[in-house]
Amino acid sequence: MSSYNYDYLDGNAAGGELSKIFAMDVTAAEGQCAHCGATKRFAEAHLYMQCPGVVARCAVCEQVLLRIVNVRQRVFLDVRGMTYLSLDTSQLPGASR
Ligand SMILES: [Zn+2]
């Protein structure tokens, strides 16, 4: 865990917030940055824990990939920084066929 550059964590730190929204583990998913086209595991993103939310930035170009903001009883999810997010369905319960 490096703190010499900017004050960020890796994408795994968003696991708790994301698990409130998604049934699947998004940190294990692959996402493509809409800005530079880099495809990386979400866990490799640079994560900024900024109250009241979480901002994930591309590890390559530092553009915003995803934002989660908690406002009272609502969670706002902004994923426009990603072209796609690709999830492995084999991890779903009962998917072992
Ligand atoms: Zn990028």
Side-chain angles (χ1 to χ4, degrees), residues 33 35-36 58 60-61:
C33 173
H35 184 75
C36 73
C58 177
V60 177
C61 72

Side-chain angles (χ1 to χ4, degrees), residues 1-77:
M1 200 66 57
S2 57
S3 59
Y4 59 91
N5 195 349
Y6 292 100
D7 192 18
Y8 67 78
L9 305 167
D10 71 25
N12 289 310
E17 284 296 317
L18 290 166
S19 69
K20 296 178 191 169
I21 305 169
F22 296 101
M24 297 178 66
D25 181 9
V26 175
T27 61
E30 275 191 350
Q32 184 180 49
C33 173
H35 184 75
C36 73
T39 303
K40 287 189 168 290
R41 273 167 51 96
F42 186 79
E44 295 179 65
H46 292 176
L47 213 81
Y48 299 81
M49 309 294 272
Q50 298 165 324
C51 278
V54 173
V55 176
R57 290 180 178 272
C58 177
V60 177
C61 72
E62 284 289 323
Q63 290 295 307
V64 173
L65 296 173
L66 173 147
R67 285 190 191 93
I68 303 169
V69 180
N70 292 292
V71 182
R72 296 194 190 94
Q73 302 298 308
R74 281 191 179 274
V75 178
F76 290 84
L77 181 66

